C-alpha cells in the first residue's frame, strides 16, 4: 500500500516538470466543456493508455516498442487533425471521410441538443483523445518512475506492476484535473466577459499543434527532460530517501569479489579476479535452499526441458550467463571442461542464458552463439528472468552447485576461483556415492574472447553507449536522445575513460545506430583488452570497420576480431575483441571507423 502511495505522489509531482508541457494543450483544449462528461473521460483514457504501454514496454521486449512507435505516429496524426479542426471549423465542416469525421467529433463533440446517442458519443470522444494523449506522453524518468520500471523489467509482468504504473498515471491526472477545473472556470469567465470564444478555440488549436510538434521533435524526452533535473527529481528523491529511512533494511551479505553495478537495474556483473589464496579443499557445504523450478525457460537448446525432479540423483551445476558478457565468455573453457570430465560420474551442467540486451532474447541468436562457442551442455533460455528470480540471482556469471538430493550447497559469482568450484563438484559427487571420480583439476587455455584477463588490472570499466546508461560521453553538445544528430569529433580532447561519437548517429536507449557510412567512435582507455558489443545493419547486412590505436593500425596489438591493419567485419550481434595489447595495459586512444551505414554499438568492456 505504501509503494502505491509513493507512486501516486510521484505522478502528482509531474505537474511541476517541464515534461508535462506538451500534454497541457490537449488537456486545456477541452477546458470549456463539462468536466464530468469531457475532462474526466479524457484523463481516464490517458492514465489507462500510459499504464498499459509502460507495462508492456518494461516487460515485453522489442516488439512492443515497435508497436508503440506505430501507435505514437497514429496518435500524432489524430491530434494534429484535432488541432486543425479547432483552428479552422470551416475546413472541418467540409470533411466527410471517416477519419476526418472522427477528428471533427473530437473537436466538436455532440451538442446538448443531439440525438439519443449523444451521451455515449460525448464520452467516447474525450476518452479516445485521452488514449491518444497517453500514447504520446513520455514523463521525465525521475527516481520513483525509474524504480517502478526497473522493478517491472526484473520481476516480470504482474498485476502489481500495472497497479504501480496506473497509480503513477493517476497521480499525474489528479494534478491535471485540478488544473483543468481551474482553467475551465477561467475560460468560461473570459467567454462571458470578453466574447472571445472563437479566438480561444483557435488559440487552443494552435497550442495543440505546437504540442504535437514538440513531441514529434522529441522535445518531450530530450530538452524538456534535461530541464526537469532540478525540479521533480529532487522532490522525488527526497521522498524515496525518507521512506527508505523509515523501513527496516536487511543486513548486507559480504561480497568476496570486486563488482561493477549495472546502473538503474539492480544487476551486478562480476569482473575481476580476487588475489587471496584459495583453500586446498572446500569447507563444509551448508544447505542454501532447494533446487528452484526451471519451468520458466522460454526455450531449451541441446536438450528437452529438464526439471529438478528428473535431475534427482545427479549433481547439477547451474551457470547463469549471457553470450555478449566478456566475464561469462571467459568462464566457458572451465565450464565446458567440467561438463566433459565429470559427465560419466553424474554431473549435469545447465547453462541459464539470461539476456542483458534485447537481441540476446532472439532464439536464433542464442542458438548460433551456443554453436559458435562449442557449448554442448543443455541451455535454458531465461528471457523473462523467471529462473533468475527463482534462484534470487544477482550476477553474471554465477555458479550454483546442487547436490544429488536437489539442494543448493554452494554458489559463487564471477570469474576465477575455478579450483574451488571444481573441488565442490568433486565433493558433491563423492557425497552422491561416486567412487570413480577423475582426480586433479582442469587447466584449459581459452582463446580470443575466452582467454583469461591480463595480469594488470583494467583501469577502464564497462561503458554503455545507449542513453539509458551512458556515462563518460564527451562529444560537444551531448547526446540527442532517440533522434539523429551529426556529432563532431572530440578525440583530441578526450580524457581517460571518456568516449565520443563522430558522424550521423541515433542514440537509442540501449545502443547507438549509425545512419551513414564513415561514422566513428573514439575511447581513451587503459586495459590490455578492449571489446565492443556490436551488431550489423538492421537488415542483417554486414558492416566493415577499421580500428586505429593512437591514430595507427594496431599491428601486434590487434584483437581476435581484427587483423594487424585493424580491418574487420560485423556479421552478427555479439561481442567483438578489437584490441589485445601485447605489452601491458597502458593508456591508449582507440578509434573505430565504420565503412558502411547501419552499425549498432552497445557497450565497451575491458580486460
Amino acid at each position: 500500500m505504501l509503494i502505491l502511495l509513493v507512486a501516486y505522489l510521484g505522478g502528482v509531482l509531474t505537474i511541476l516538470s517541464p515534461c508535462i508541457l506538451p500534454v497541457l494543450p490537449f488537456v486545456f483544449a477541452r477546458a470549456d466543456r463539462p468536466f464530468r462528461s469531457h475532462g474526466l473521460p479524457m484523463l481516464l483514457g490517458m492514465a489507462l493508455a500510459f499504464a498499459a504501454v509502460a507495462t508492456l514496454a518494461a516487460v515485453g521486449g522489442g516488439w512492443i516498442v515497435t508497436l508503440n512507435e506505430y501507435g505514437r505516429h497514429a496518435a500524432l496524426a489524430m491530434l494534429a487533425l484535432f488541432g486543425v479542426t479547432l483552428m479552422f471549423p470551416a475546413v472541418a465542416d467540409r470533411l466527410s471521410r471517416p477519419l476526418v469525421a472522427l477528428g471533427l467529433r473530437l473537436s466538436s463533440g455532440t451538442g446538448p441538443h443531439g440525438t439519443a446517442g449523444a451521451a455515449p458519443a460525448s464520452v467516447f470522444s474525450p476518452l479516445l483523445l485521452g488514449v491518444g494523449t497517453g500514447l504520446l506522453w513520455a514523463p521525465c524518468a525521475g527516481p520513483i518512475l525509474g524504480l517502478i520500471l526497473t522493478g517491472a523489467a526484473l520481476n516480470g509482468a504482474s498485476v502489481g506492476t500495472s497497479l504501480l504504473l496506473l497509480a503513477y498515471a493517476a497521480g499525474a491526472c489528479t494534478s491535471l484535473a485540478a488544473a483543468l477545473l481551474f482553467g475551465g472556470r477561467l475560460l468560461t469567465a473570459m467567454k462571458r466577459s470578453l466574447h472571445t470564444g472563437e479566438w480561444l478555440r483557435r488559440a487552443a488549436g494552435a497550442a495543440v499543434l505546437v504540442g504535437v510538434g514538440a513531441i514529434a521533435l522529441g522535445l518531450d524526452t530530450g530538452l524538456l527532460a534535461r530541464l526537469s533535473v532540478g525540479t521533480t527529481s529532487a522532490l522525488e528523491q527526497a521522498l524515496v530517501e525518507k521512506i527508505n529511512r523509515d523501513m527496516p533494511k536487511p543486513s548486507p551479505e559480504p561480497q568476496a569479489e570486486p563488482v561493477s553495478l549495472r546502473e538503474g537495474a539492480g544487476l551486478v556483473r562480476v569482473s575481476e579476479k580476487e588475489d587471496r589464496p584459495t583453500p586446498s579443499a572446500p569447507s563444509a557445504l551448508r544447505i542454501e535452499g532447494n533446487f528452484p523450478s526451471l519451468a520458466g525457460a522460454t526455450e531449451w537448446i541441446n536438450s528437452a526441458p529438464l526439471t529438478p525432479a528428473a535431475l534427482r540423483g545427479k549433481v547439477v551445476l547451474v551457470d547463469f550467463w549471457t553470450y555478449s558478457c566478456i566475464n561469462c565468455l571467459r568462464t566457458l573453457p572451465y565450464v565446458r571442461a567440467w561438463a566433459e570430465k565429470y559427465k560419466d560420474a553424474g554431473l549435469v551442467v545447465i547453462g541459464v542464458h539470461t539476456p542483458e540486451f534485447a537481441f540476446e532474447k532472439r532464439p536464433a541468436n542464442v542458438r548460433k552463439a551456443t554453436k559458435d562457442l562449442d557449448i554442448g551442455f543443455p541451455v535454458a533460455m531465461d528471457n523473462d528472468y523467471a529462473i533468475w528470480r527463482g534462484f534470487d540471482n544477482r550476477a553474471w556469471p554465477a555458479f550454483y552447485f546442487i547436490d544429488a538430493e536437489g539442494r543448493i550447497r554452494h554458489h559463487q559469482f564471477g570469474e576465477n576461483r575455478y579450483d574451488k568450484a571444481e573441488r565442490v563438484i568433486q565433493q558433491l559427487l563423492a557425497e552422491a556415492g561416486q567412487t570413480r571420480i577423475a582426480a586433479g583439476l582442469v587447466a584449459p587455455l581459452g582463446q580470443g574472447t575466452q582467454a583469461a584477463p591480463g595480469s594488470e588490472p583494467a583501469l577502464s570499466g564497462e561503458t554503455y553507449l545507449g542513453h539509458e546508461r551512458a556515462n563518460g560521453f564527451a562529444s560537444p553538445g551531448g547526446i540527442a536522445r532517440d533522434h539523429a544528430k551529426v556529432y563532431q569529433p572530440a578525440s583530441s580532447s578526450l580524457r581517460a575513460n571518456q568516449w565520443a561519437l563522430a558522424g550521423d548517429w541515433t542514440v537509442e536507449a540501449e545502443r547507438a545506430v549509425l545512419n551513414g557510412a564513415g561514422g566513428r567512435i573514439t575511447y581513451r582507455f587503459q586495459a590490455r583488452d578492449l571489446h565492443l558489443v556490436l551488431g550489423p545493419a538492421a537488415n542483417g547486412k554486414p558492416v566493415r570497420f577499421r580500428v586505429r590505436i593512437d591514430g595507427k593500425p594496431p599491428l601486434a596489438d590487434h584483437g581476435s576480431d581484427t587483423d594487424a591493419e585493424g580491418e574487420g567485419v560485423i556479421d552478427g550481434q555479439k561481442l567483438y575483441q578489437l584490441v589485445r595489447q601485447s605489452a601491458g595495459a597502458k593508456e591508449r586512444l582507440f578509434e573505430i571507423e565504420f565503412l558502411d551505414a547501419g552499425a549498432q554499438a552497445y557497450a565497451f568492456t575491458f580486460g
Side-chain angles (χ1 to χ4, degrees):
M1 189 63 188
L2 180 60
I3 190 63
L4 284 173
L5 177 61
V6 171
Y8 176 80
L9 292 176
V12 170
L13 290 174
T14 59
I15 195 67
L16 304 177
S17 166
C19 289
I20 205 69
L21 292 179
V23 174
L24 293 180
F26 311 138
V27 175
F28 284 112
R30 287 193 169 265
D32 60 336
R33 310 294 177 87
F35 178 77
R36 181 175 297 178
S37 62
H38 289 77
L40 187 59
M42 185 192 65
L43 293 174
L44 177 62
M46 176 182 166
L48 291 175
F50 170 76
V53 170
T55 299
L56 290 172
V59 301
W63 68 271
I64 187 60
V65 176
T66 302
L67 183 62
N68 185 47
E69 279 303 307
Y70 290 119
R72 282 175 62 86
H73 295 326
L76 281 170
M78 182 186 73
L79 292 170
L81 178 63
F82 173 51
V84 169
T85 58
L86 282 172
M87 292 186 68
F88 305 108
V91 174
D93 291 338
R94 293 195 299 267
L95 300 177
S96 58
R97 294 181 180 179
L99 181 61
V100 178
L102 177 59
L104 179 58
R105 179 174 294 179
L106 287 175
S107 67
S108 302
T110 302
H113 306 293
T115 64
S122 64
V123 172
F124 173 76
S125 296
L127 182 66
L128 186 59
L129 178 62
V131 169
T133 305
L135 287 172
L136 297 178
W137 182 37
C140 301
I144 291 175
L145 183 57
L147 287 173
I148 296 172
L149 293 176
T150 294
L154 289 178
N155 297 321
S158 67
V159 174
T161 293
S162 298
L163 286 177
L164 286 173
L165 288 164
L166 188 59
Y168 186 91
C173 289
T174 299
S175 52
L176 286 173
L180 184 58
L181 287 170
F182 175 77
R185 292 176 183 175
L186 179 62
L187 287 175
T188 302
M190 290 178 67
K191 282 186 176 182
R192 285 199 304 263
S193 60
L194 301 177
H195 307 287
T196 56
E198 186 63 28
W199 179 86
L200 287 174
R201 176 190 177 96
R202 294 189 176 186
V208 167
L209 292 177
V210 169
V212 169
I215 292 172
L217 293 173
L219 296 180
D220 58 326
T221 57
L223 174 63
L224 295 178
R226 290 193 290 272
L227 291 176
S228 71
V229 169
T231 55
T232 57
S233 290
L235 294 171
E236 291 184 47
Q237 189 62 49
L239 181 60
V240 172
E241 290 175 355
K242 175 65 169 62
I243 292 172
N244 284 341
R245 283 196 301 268
D246 294 341
M247 293 180 67
K249 298 180 176 59
S251 31
E253 181 178 333
Q255 289 283 350
E257 308 85 13
V259 299
S260 58
L261 295 179
R262 172 178 167 182
E263 291 186 18
L267 303 184
V268 174
R269 179 177 289 190
V270 181
S271 53
E272 302 300 334
K273 66 181 181 180
E274 57 175 312
D275 295 321
R276 66 176 184 272
T278 302
S280 57
S283 56
L285 301 176
R286 62 185 179 87
I287 298 173
E288 299 181 359
N290 292 323
F291 193 167
S293 172
L294 301 174
T298 54
E299 184 168 325
W300 284 84
I301 300 171
N302 297 333
S303 171
L306 299 175
T307 66
L311 291 167
R312 278 294 181 99
K314 301 287 187 179
V315 172
V316 181
L317 169 60
V318 175
D319 171 26
F320 283 91
W321 70 296
T322 186
Y323 80 81
S324 74
C325 164
I326 184 59
N327 313 110
C328 302
L329 293 175
R330 291 194 292 230
T331 66
L332 283 179
Y334 287 88
V335 179
R336 286 195 304 261
W338 295 332
E340 179 64 26
K341 179 179 178 180
Y342 298 107
K343 64 180 181 180
D344 293 334
L347 175 69
V348 176
V349 175
I350 299 175
V352 177
H353 185 274
T354 310
E356 178 173 17
F357 298 111
F359 67 80
E360 293 175 308
K361 294 184 177 182
R362 298 173 189 160
N365 284 352
V366 182
R367 285 194 293 267
K368 184 178 186 304
T370 300
K371 181 179 179 181
D372 292 345
L373 295 169
D374 194 25
I375 295 174
F377 50 79
V379 173
M381 289 186 60
D382 187 28
N383 283 357
D384 299 328
Y385 279 63
I387 303 174
W388 178 289
R389 293 193 300 272
F391 277 82
D392 195 23
N393 188 45
R394 297 175 296 139
W396 292 290
F399 296 152
Y400 290 84
F401 302 82
I402 299 165
D403 66 18
E405 300 298 319
R407 302 170 300 186
I408 300 174
R409 299 288 299 280
H410 179 66
H411 74 276
Q412 62 186 57
F413 298 144
E415 304 176 55
N416 300 288
R417 297 188 297 161
Y418 301 118
D419 50 354
K420 178 177 181 179
E422 187 168 1
R423 290 190 178 99
V424 169
I425 293 171
Q426 293 172 342
Q427 178 173 332
L428 295 181
L429 289 172
E431 289 181 8
Q434 294 293 334
T435 56
R436 302 182 64 180
I437 303 172
L441 302 176
V442 301
L445 294 176
Q447 302 296 321
T449 57
Q450 299 178 49
S455 56
E456 297 182 47
L459 299 184
S460 295
E462 187 171 26
T463 303
Y464 293 92
L465 276 62
H467 63 70
E468 185 178 67
R469 290 178 282 161
N471 60 79
F473 185 68
S475 290
I479 290 177
R481 294 161 46 116
D482 301 312
H483 290 279
K485 176 181 176 179
V486 177
Y487 293 87
Q488 301 304 315
S491 58
S492 61
S493 60
L494 289 183
R495 298 193 301 272
N497 300 325
Q498 288 187 332
W499 64 281
L501 299 173
D504 187 356
W505 292 85
T506 299
V507 181
E508 302 174 355
E510 72 170 17
R511 64 183 180 178
V513 180
L514 180 61
N515 301 316
R520 301 192 303 277
I521 306 174
T522 52
Y523 194 119
R524 188 170 292 280
F525 75 102
Q526 186 169 354
R528 186 194 69 178
D529 302 337
L530 179 146
H531 313 93
L532 185 54
V533 179
L534 296 166
N539 61 4
K541 182 180 179 181
V543 174
R544 297 168 298 151
F545 64 82
R546 179 186 300 122
V547 166
R548 293 290 181 265
I549 303 176
D550 296 332
K552 301 177 182 178
L555 302 179
D557 293 334
H558 72 89
S560 60
D561 292 300
T562 65
D563 60 21
E565 294 301 314
E567 308 287 338
V569 176
I570 306 170
D571 56 6
Q573 292 172 310
K574 63 179 184 178
L575 180 141
Y576 290 79
Q577 186 184 84
L578 303 178
V579 175
R580 166 155 286 185
Q581 297 198 67
S582 57
K586 57 185 177 181
E587 183 176 307
R588 310 291 293 273
L589 179 64
F590 166 85
E591 179 180 87
I592 182 170
E593 179 183 5
F594 300 96
L595 307 182
D596 305 297
Q600 306 170 52
Y602 292 83
F604 283 97
T605 58
F606 303 90

